[in-house]
Amino acid sequence: MKNDLLAQFNKAFESKARLSIMSVLMVNESMSFNALKELLSLTDGNLATHLRALEDAGYVLVQKQFVGRKPNTTYSATQAGQQAFTDHLNALEAFIKNM
């Protein structure tokens, strides 16, 4: 029974950083790279790597634009990302309840 529950965990969210990123994006319409970096206390490279992995999975949408003359990159959770994250949280909850 426990192995069935473990199989429902989404590997994309096994990383603390990715779990944190998705948690933030689930409750905010979008967040800038700098705001995510500051909030989660991640380095540029670490954050970029985890965001790229979530983007490649189709869970995060990236929007690049200029504000004045400065580049501004924002991130938001896609519908697929929201569903995958919700399913992951439900699997975690089921696992805990069946311990």
Side-chain angles (χ1 to χ4, degrees), residues 32-88:
S32 72
F33 183 89
N34 288 333
L36 281 169
K37 183 176 80 166
E38 184 177 322
L39 180 65
L40 302 176
S41 299
L42 296 172
T43 63
D44 286 0
N46 197 0
L47 179 58
T49 299
H50 289 295
L51 284 167
R52 172 63 67 162
L54 291 169
E55 180 186 7
D56 290 346
Y59 296 160
V60 170
L61 177 66
V62 180
Q63 296 177 319
K64 296 182 181 224
Q65 61 186 15
F66 281 89
V67 176
R69 291 181 179 228
K70 292 185 178 185
N72 184 37
T73 305
T74 57
Y75 299 87
S76 57
T78 63
Q79 189 70 29
Q82 292 173 0
Q83 186 61 55
F85 191 71
T86 298
D87 292 345
H88 181 73

